[in-house]
Structures are given as C-alpha cells and as structure tokens.
Amino acid sequence: MPERLAETLVDLWTPLIILWITLPTCVYMAPMNQAHTLTTGSPLELSRQSEELRILNRSKRGWVWNQMFVLEEFSGPEPILVGRLHTDLDPGSKKIKYILSGDGAGTIFQINDITGDIHAIKRLDREEKAEYTLTAQAVDWETNKPLEPPSEFIIKVQDINDNAPEFLNGPYHATVPEMSILGTSVTNVTATDADDPVYGNSAKLVYSILEGQPYFSIEPETAIIKTALPNMDREAKEEYLVVIQAKDMGGHSGGLSGTTTLTVTLTDVNDNPPKFAQSLYHFSVPEDVVLGTAIGRVKANDQDIGENAQSSYDIIDGDGTALFEITSDAQAQDGVIRLRKPLDFETKKSYTLKVEAANIHIDPRFSGRGPFKDTATVKIVVEDADEPPVFSSPTYLLEVHENAALNSVIGQVTARDPDITSSPIRFSIDRHTDLERQFNINADDGKITLATPLDRELSVWHNITIIATEIRNHSQISRVPVAIKVLDVNDNAPEFAAEYEAFLCENGKPGQVIQTVSAMDKDDPKNGHYFLYSLLPEMVNNPNFTIKKNEDNSLSILAKHNGFNRQKQEVYLLPIVISDSGNPPLSSTSTLTIRVCGCSNDGVVQSCNVEAYVLPIGLSMGALIAILACIILLLVIVVLFVTLRRHKNEPLIIKDDEDVRENIIRYDDEGGGEEDTEAFDIATLQNPDGINGFLPRWGVPTERWEERNAIQTGCV
C-alpha cells in the first residue's frame, strides 16, 4: 500500500511540477502608460504581484497581460487556477465586477467576478482544442457600465505526453533483391504523434527494430530501413518479419511507444545455374515411330523462379544429331527429344546424344560464378519392329507397244522385307486402279503381263498400283505406283482431215486451184507425219484434173482446162491415194467430190444445180421461190376452209341423259301398237345424230310425226 500511494502522488504532482518548471513568467510589465495587469501563477504569486501593482503609479489606465496557460488532462478535486484578471481601477472596494466571454466562457472557464480569478472547471485535451480566445471586461458593480473597453486574451492548453506514436499505414510490405549489398535501402516507415511537436519532446520520435535483426537496420530519426547483412539468399529464406518501434520523448525513459510490422520479401535474381536431375538418361524407341514423335524428356532444375529459371535445350554432340532434335517446353521447363528422320533397326541399333541446358536470361552481376548451363548424356536404343515390305523403287515406269501380244511381260517390280526375320512377299494389283483388268502380275516374282490388247489411240497412259504383302503377316503391306506408257505402232492409215467438197466454176481457167486438202493419221510417229498423195493408176492420165503436193504436207487439186459445163456433167469424183511414212507404210483412198457451178466474173459461186437449165425460159430462181410460196399459201387457206366448214355442220350432241328421259316421260300418246313401234325407233335417242336427221317411215300418219316432232323439240 505505501508503494501504491507513492505512485499515485507522483502521478498527481508530476504535471503540476512540470507546469511550474516550464511555465514562463506570466506577468508582462507594460510601459509606464499602462495600468492594468493580467497575472497567472500560484495564489501566493498572484497576491504578491497584486501588491506590487498597487504601489505603481500609472499615467493611463489599460490592460497589461500575457498569454495564459493551462495544463491538459489535469484532473483534481478542485478547479485549476488558470490566472487572474486585475485592473488598477480596482481599489479593493469591491465596486468592480469582472466579466469573461468567448470560447468556453462559463462552460470550461469560470471567472470570479470579484477577484478576477479564472479557473478551468473541465478536463482539457490539447489534441481536441489547443487554445481558447476569450474577452475580458471590467464593469461597475452597481451600474454594469464598462469601466474600460473589452480586450481579448488567449488561454493555451499546455501539452503533456498523453499520446503514443501510431503507424497509420501499417502493417507494411516491401521487397528487396536477394544478394543485395550491405546497406541496400528497403523502405521507410512513418509514425505520427498527436502531441505538440513544438513544445517539449512529446512528439519527438525515435525509431528502432525490436525484431528482424541482424538482417535489417533502421535509421533512428528517418525510419529508413536497410539491409544489415550482405548477400541474403532467397533460396535459403525468402521472407522476413521485422517489428519496428517508434518512441516519443526522444526515446528517453518514460516516453510512449507504438509498433508496426514490416514483411520483407527477397525477390529472385538469376544467381543459380540449371542442373540436370541425372547425368545419364535412357530411352527406347521403335524403329517405325512416326516422324516428329516425342522420344523422351529431360529436365534441368533451377532454384531460381520465373524467367530466371527459364532454360533452353540443345543437342551439342553425339552420333544422332542428324536424326534427333530437342525443343524447350516453356510450361514444363524441360527439353523434349523428337525424331527428325526415319530409324532403321537393321542399320543402327542405338544412338548417344549430349544435351545442354542453359539459362536464357543471364544476370551479369553473377556471370563470374561460372557458366549458367549444364550437360547430360542421352542413350537412345532403337527397337526392332515388323516393317512393311520395301519396293526397290518408289515408282516404276514401264513401256509397251500397242501391238504387244497377250500375256507378254511388260515389266517387273521387286520388294523385300527389311526385318531380320525376312518374310516372303506376294504381289497383287489394286483393281481399283485397273478396272478393265488390262494387266496381270505374277504373285511370286512381280512380273507384269498384258491381259487385254492395248490401243494407244484410245489411251496412251495406264496408271496402276502394285501391292506387296508379307506372307507371314498380312497386315504388313506396301503400295507402289506403276505408270505404263503405250508406245505407238503404225496401225492406222491416213485419211482426209475433213469431209471436203470442191466447187468448180464453169468459167474457170486452166491451172486454177479448185481445192486444197490435208490428211490426218491417228498414229503418232516419232519424227512427225509425212504424207504421200497420188491418183489411182487408172486416173493418172485424168484429162480434167491434176494434183500438186504442197510444202506444208497438204495437197492442191487443179483444173487442167476450162469450159466445164453443168449440162454435160454436174459432178466429178476424184479418188486420191494417201500414204504415210510408217514402217510398214499404210495408205487409204479418199474420194473428193467436185461440183460444177455457175460463177460470177470474179469467181463467186452462184448456182450449182443443173435443173436451172431445163426450167422455162424467163423464170429465174427468185420467180420459182415466189410461185412456191403462193402454192403453199393456197394450200393453207383450203385447209382452214375445210376445217371451219366441218365444225359448222357438226350436229348438236345431247350430253345430258336426264333431258332425254324427260322427253320420253312427256310423251303422251295412247300408242299405236305395232305401228308405233315401227314408226319410232328408241335407238334414235341413243344416237344423237339421228335426232335432226330422222325421217318418218311409210304408213305412219303425218299428224303422228308432227306430234312426235313437237314432243322431241319440247313444244308440247
């Protein structure tokens, strides 16, 4: 109990002692022409100052004062005396009343209207309001008339250290590259203190690290945090927690403090090379693997992260550099070995590669540590696979003459099983490529024979596919294209290139070219076509026409004389023999028809018909056409007339059977017995043609017929 009582007394008297020590002299002695004072201090001081003021002579009335101070957070059994208002007009007769107005007057500050003592009646907080502006006035006690004009003064709240520093932005996070040198700046933090920064040391802060040493240090005044150890390694420890303290009162004992945390993360730098997980890798691959297939993967681990861990892979040595390649997988950070060229177990059964992994992004600060790369050996074993047969050639080209005999051999294909345990091969033709079955193949030796005759003029090329199948494993097959070219033989005689018809003018001249003809041959000789033209032996001495071979391999027919007459002979037939240059040569005879025509003086053909000479004199071709047109027109008119007349004479056809029956019902006659039966034929009703053309029979009274006609016409 005595210890607790002593602590309580210390807590109560410490603010008062501090105020007593730090409070300056509150009485400011004005010049001699001022006579009023405002004093502050203890009651004893106030009494002494009042006595001193009384004995002073003043030449002019007025207020003499300084600022008043009151200690914040002061709480005691009695209101705290802030100061005293006093005027030299007050002789002590208690005829003067002091009035206080302004900030907090009557609520926070209270004045004794007789003595002028000002007391703080509430606990003050400087952080809420640091000063108060009030107005003092002295008035006559009885009349309340101002003795002097009012005057303002300030009461300042004296700060005490009642606020601890605070880190408003904490907790903090910062990063610093790993391997940084000693003293590298990390970040800085800031604490705030609500106490008065200009009065005492209540707001003077000093920073220190409570936790996080020996890795980091802090500047006491600026709060700049730096690295305290060089070359901190992220791979060893990535994150650090630092506890920072800010203490006021300049860090001295008795000050208040606040703390915050700072999380420091070391960022990665490329300070580690890649390292293969193993120095030797083994892979096996079938020899028939498809090109581009991944054979295996190798991986070099890197303790760095992000782009600092990225590595590229290469094959730098080995006996399989031409057959294999390695690519980098950016996602998995490994190297993928792929096949570039086909493998052959029978040729080589294993390969050795030396692969390298190297960092892509090199940090020059650490390049002196050595090469940021690593190597490993890769062994690849080729496994035997059942491979399909292999043809001796990827394609075959065969030639055969079109007159080749059936079943003759036109060529041969060969294939072998590349496996060690070689299997016999059987050959066949893919009939989808030989729908007409023009060729056959020997299943054992691959000889291709002719099955049907060939005709080069119908098809020059035949493309078939040969299939080779292993006897031991029918699933192992291979295909090869075979192109067969049909060679030409001279088996077609030449003939006219077109159906020619020549016209000869009656008034033509001897030696005039009547027609030029050319020949064609379906064959295709190597040196091109060359034709020989001639007349039949019996036509060699033809008195009317002769032939002439032209340089362009064509033939001209010429007239030997003039004076041809259509009335004597209208048409001439000229047989021409055409021979080719083949071995053996072939020939054919083509006949040229030559018509004799009437021509104009300039040789334009006008008419080639001989009937023009037997027509009546004076009738031209135009007149004949006009007469023919008239005849056709008359025939059309006659046909139309006959057709219209026939339609006009057609009888009315009764199509409604009910009308006929109605006429029969209306027939109202007693009947004539047998005479009536003979006189009226019921078949007439069934034959509409007999209605209008009905004739009465002999022996029937005339009135009967008239009546019946009336009934039939509907008049009764």
Side-chain angles (χ1 to χ4, degrees):
M1 290 297 294
E3 294 178 357
R4 295 186 60 183
L5 180 60
E7 291 177 358
T8 303
L9 293 175
V10 170
D11 292 338
L12 291 174
W13 284 101
T14 299
L16 293 176
I17 294 172
I18 295 174
L19 176 62
W20 193 267
I21 295 173
T22 58
L23 192 65
T25 302
C26 296
V27 180
Y28 171 75
M29 300 305 294
M32 293 303 293
N33 61 351
Q34 296 181 355
H36 298 279
T37 62
L38 174 131
T39 60
T40 61
S42 64
L44 296 175
E45 254 185 71
L46 293 175
S47 177
R48 180 179 57 81
Q49 292 172 0
S50 178
E51 292 298 326
E52 291 178 353
L53 290 174
R54 286 192 184 97
I55 61 176
L56 293 176
N57 294 323
R58 298 286 183 260
S59 62
K60 185 179 180 180
R61 299 182 183 275
W63 292 100
V64 179
W65 60 357
N66 203 340
Q67 292 180 342
M68 291 186 181
F69 294 90
V70 60
L71 194 66
E72 70 168 331
E73 302 294 344
F74 179 79
S75 60
E78 298 293 336
I80 184 174
L81 178 63
V82 179
R84 174 179 294 174
L85 292 178
H86 183 72
T87 177
D88 54 2
L89 295 177
D90 184 4
S93 59
K94 299 182 180 180
K95 291 183 178 181
I96 297 177
K97 182 170 64 175
Y98 296 97
I99 299 174
L100 185 67
S101 62
D103 292 343
T107 58
I108 299 175
F109 302 102
Q110 201 172 52
I111 189 171
N112 188 319
D113 54 2
I114 298 174
T115 63
D117 293 339
I118 300 174
H119 291 83
I121 60 176
K122 285 187 177 181
R123 184 175 180 177
L124 301 179
D125 188 356
R126 189 200 67 84
E127 285 69 43
E128 291 183 3
K129 190 174 179 63
E131 61 181 31
Y132 297 84
T133 302
L134 297 104
T135 302
Q137 190 173 26
V139 299
D140 186 86
W141 184 269
E142 295 178 355
T143 63
N144 284 331
K145 291 183 179 181
L147 301 178
E148 290 184 358
S151 185
E152 289 185 350
F153 65 96
I154 296 174
I155 299 178
K156 285 193 173 184
V157 181
Q158 192 79 34
D159 181 56
I160 65 171
N161 189 19
D162 60 341
N163 291 278
E166 293 182 352
F167 292 91
L168 301 179
N169 297 324
Y172 298 88
H173 296 271
T175 60
V176 63
E178 65 170 332
M179 297 297 169
S180 296
I181 62 175
L182 179 66
T184 301
S185 177
V186 178
T187 186
N188 68 312
V189 296
T190 302
T192 59
D193 195 319
D195 293 324
D196 191 353
V198 299
Y199 178 78
N201 294 326
S202 297
K204 184 178 182 181
L205 305 181
V206 173
Y207 298 90
S208 62
I209 291 180
L210 301 181
E211 182 181 340
Q213 295 174 338
Y215 305 104
F216 301 95
S217 63
I218 189 170
E219 292 286 343
E221 296 180 356
T222 62
I224 297 176
I225 300 169
K226 300 180 180 180
T227 58
L229 287 179
N231 302 327
M232 286 189 291
D233 192 358
R234 184 199 66 84
E235 288 73 34
K237 186 176 181 180
E238 184 176 6
E239 194 171 87
Y240 296 85
L241 181 66
V242 182
V243 179
I244 302 169
Q245 175 185 264
K247 190 173 184 181
D248 59 15
M249 298 300 293
H252 293 92
S253 177
L256 302 178
S257 63
T259 60
T260 187
T261 59
L262 167 66
T263 301
V264 181
T265 302
L266 299 183
T267 58
D268 185 61
V269 298
N270 191 11
D271 58 336
N272 294 282
K275 186 69 176 177
F276 280 105
Q278 56 195 73
S279 60
L280 180 62
Y281 293 85
H282 290 275
F283 301 109
S284 59
V285 55
E287 62 175 328
D288 59 350
V289 68
V290 180
L291 297 183
T293 302
I295 305 301
R297 289 175 175 262
V298 297
K299 184 176 180 61
N301 298 316
D302 196 320
Q303 296 181 4
D304 297 320
I305 59 175
E307 67 174 17
N308 296 323
Q310 293 179 359
S311 297
S312 62
Y313 295 85
D314 292 294
I315 298 175
I316 60 175
D317 198 5
D319 54 2
T321 55
L323 278 73
F324 302 94
E325 64 179 359
I326 188 169
T327 58
S328 301
D329 187 340
Q331 297 296 329
Q333 291 295 317
D334 57 7
V336 183
I337 301 174
R338 301 181 185 276
L339 183 65
R340 293 178 57 191
K341 294 183 179 180
L343 298 174
D344 187 6
F345 173 80
E346 290 71 27
T347 303
K348 190 172 178 62
K349 297 178 176 58
S350 66
Y351 297 89
T352 301
L353 304 175
K354 187 177 182 180
V355 297
E356 179 186 77
N359 276 158
I360 298 175
H361 305 282
I362 304 297
D363 193 329
R365 295 178 298 173
F366 308 104
S367 59
R369 293 189 177 186
F372 278 73
K373 60 181 66 175
D374 193 20
T375 59
T377 302
V378 177
K379 293 277 189 181
I380 300 176
V381 177
V382 181
E383 297 178 347
D384 188 22
D386 190 3
E387 300 175 88
V390 178
F391 283 96
S392 59
S393 176
T395 59
Y396 290 89
L397 174 62
L398 306 179
E399 293 182 345
V400 57
H401 286 89
E402 59 180 327
N403 62 349
L406 297 181
N407 298 321
S408 60
V409 177
I410 62 176
Q412 184 179 12
V413 297
T414 59
R416 65 178 181 85
D417 184 2
D419 299 322
I420 295 178
T421 58
S422 180
S423 172
I425 306 298
R426 292 188 66 85
F427 299 95
S428 61
I429 297 177
D430 186 351
R431 290 304 176 183
H432 292 91
T433 62
D434 185 24
L435 297 176
E436 297 180 359
R437 296 182 174 270
Q438 292 183 285
F439 307 95
N440 290 325
I441 189 170
N442 189 298
D444 298 324
D445 58 14
K447 291 182 179 180
I448 302 172
T449 57
L450 187 63
T452 61
L454 299 176
D455 187 354
R456 191 205 65 84
E457 285 70 44
L458 294 178
S459 181
V460 178
W461 289 96
H462 297 272
N463 297 299
I464 63 175
T465 299
I466 303 299
I467 302 173
T469 307
E470 289 186 11
I471 295 178
R472 295 177 184 173
N473 186 358
H474 292 174
S475 64
Q476 295 296 331
I477 62 174
S478 297
R479 299 172 183 269
V480 69
V482 177
I484 302 173
K485 182 179 182 181
V486 182
L487 302 178
D488 183 59
V489 296
N490 193 26
D491 59 347
N492 291 278
E495 57 187 7
F496 276 157
E499 294 183 3
Y500 294 103
E501 186 176 18
F503 299 95
L504 173 64
C505 292
E506 291 179 310
N507 56 357
K509 298 179 180 179
Q512 183 178 359
V513 176
I514 301 172
Q515 181 71 39
T516 299
V517 298
S518 60
M520 61 165 290
D521 194 331
K522 295 180 181 179
D523 296 321
D524 186 19
K526 295 181 179 180
N527 299 325
H529 291 289
Y530 181 79
F531 300 114
L532 297 175
Y533 300 93
S534 63
L535 298 176
L536 292 176
E538 59 271 21
M539 299 292 294
V540 173
N541 296 322
N542 189 310
N544 298 313
F545 307 101
T546 184
I547 60 175
K548 177 185 177 183
K549 177 69 180 298
N550 300 320
E551 294 181 358
D552 60 354
N553 216 15
S554 64
L555 179 70
S556 296
I557 294 90
L558 293 80
K560 283 188 175 182
H561 60 82
N562 59 0
F564 290 92
N565 193 333
R566 281 181 291 175
Q567 292 181 343
K568 291 182 179 181
Q569 186 172 349
E570 179 187 7
V571 178
Y572 293 89
L573 300 178
L574 184 63
I576 299 175
V577 179
I578 309 173
S579 302
D580 59 20
S581 57
N583 186 19
L586 297 179
S587 64
S588 67
T589 301
S590 299
T591 301
L592 177 65
T593 301
I594 303 175
R595 294 186 179 276
V596 181
C597 303
C599 303
S600 61
N601 293 331
D602 53 359
V604 178
V605 176
Q606 293 181 339
S607 176
C608 297
N609 296 327
V610 69
E611 290 78 4
Y613 289 91
V614 297
L615 291 174
I617 300 175
L619 291 179
S620 62
M621 183 62 68
L624 290 175
I625 295 173
I627 293 172
L628 181 61
C630 292
I631 293 172
I632 293 173
L633 181 62
L634 289 174
L635 288 175
V636 172
I637 294 174
V638 170
V639 171
L640 291 175
F641 178 76
V642 172
T643 303
L644 293 174
R645 184 178 182 85
R646 182 178 178 182
H647 284 292
K648 183 177 180 182
N649 293 332
E650 286 183 356
L652 179 63
I653 299 175
I654 300 176
K655 297 182 180 180
D656 194 349
D657 294 340
E658 294 180 359
D659 295 341
V660 177
R661 288 195 296 271
E662 185 179 359
N663 289 334
I664 295 173
I665 292 171
R666 289 181 181 180
Y667 180 74
D668 189 13
D669 195 0
E670 295 178 358
E674 189 174 333
E675 292 180 357
D676 190 26
T677 305
E678 294 178 357
F680 186 81
D681 189 359
I682 193 69
T684 304
L685 296 175
Q686 299 174 355
N687 184 10
D689 294 337
I691 295 176
N692 295 327
F694 178 80
L695 296 176
R697 295 187 179 183
W698 294 101
V700 179
T702 305
E703 60 272 14
R704 278 281 184 86
W705 295 116
E706 292 176 354
E707 183 180 359
R708 289 177 181 175
N709 288 333
I711 292 172
Q712 293 175 4
T713 57
C715 297
V716 178

